[in-house]
Amino acid sequence: QTGLGALSLVAVAELGLGGVLFLQARSLEGQYGGLITAGAADEFVPGSVTQFAEGNFFLVRNEDGGFMAVHNRCPHLGCTVNWVEAKGKFYCPCHASSFNAYGEYQNQPVTRALDTFSVLFDDELVKVDTSHIQMRAHYSPDQIHYRN
Ligand code: FES
């Protein structure tokens, strides 16, 4: 009984520490949950999709130079989607949903587009705000961000 009690206390202490570390990480720039600098805009070729695995997003640059940050989690049950360059699509490995380069869904079982994050510009730098996941039903062109 005493042993179990002690184990529980350790478990609670670890949970508490984990919570503190989690909160600290969320407040840091440059990590998932904060503002992530992707790089200089010119580094991203128009018509390209670049993976930022630790940021949990793909940075899409469309043919006319606009940017979109697409969340890498499938809206169906949360599996991590993969970008397949040869097909020009995102694929979910769990139940075979696919999405075009803008994250628009193309088949069931998923029923909405991939989530996005805000893209911001700081001079030539492209930054992605991963503190807030933006849900959407479908892709629309006004979701593309352009440097002014
Ligand atoms: Fe992606 Fe089910 S989790 S299709």
Side-chain angles (χ1 to χ4, degrees):
Q1 184 70 28
T2 307
L4 275 180
L7 274 180
S8 299
L9 277 178
V10 168
V12 168
E14 285 183 351
L15 276 177
L17 182 61
V20 169
L21 289 175
F22 178 71
L23 285 176
Q24 284 179 342
R26 304 265 313 171
S27 69
L28 291 176
E29 276 206 13
Q31 299 187 7
Y32 181 67
L35 191 61
I36 296 176
T37 299
D42 291 346
E43 292 175 24
F44 304 99
V45 178
S48 67
V49 175
T50 306
Q51 182 175 19
F52 288 80
E54 293 188 1
N56 292 315
F57 66 88
F58 294 88
L59 188 64
V60 178
R61 189 166 201 196
N62 71 358
E63 293 292 349
D64 67 0
F67 287 90
M68 173 184 279
V70 176
H71 197 195
N72 67 0
R73 296 281 183 267
C74 179
H76 180 225
L77 293 177
C79 292
T80 301
V81 300
N82 303 305
W83 171 249
V84 179
E85 183 73 36
K87 301 272 188 183
K89 294 180 183 183
F90 296 100
Y91 286 92
C92 179
C94 293
H95 311 102
S97 285
S98 64
F99 309 82
N100 72 12
Y102 296 113
E104 179 65 284
Y105 78 95
Q106 299 183 313
N107 56 298
Q108 304 279 344
V110 79
T111 54
R112 65 182 181 84
L114 294 170
D115 299 331
T116 62
F117 298 109
S118 285
V119 175
L120 310 167
F121 300 102
D122 182 359
D123 289 331
E124 79 280 10
L125 294 179
V126 181
K127 299 187 174 190
V128 176
D129 181 1
T130 61
S131 68
H132 178 64
I133 296 171
Q134 301 171 319
M135 291 173 59
R136 56 182 177 159
H138 295 287
Y139 161 75
S140 76
D142 62 6
Q143 296 159 357
I144 304 278
H145 302 261
Y146 293 89
R147 281 172 82 198
N148 292 320

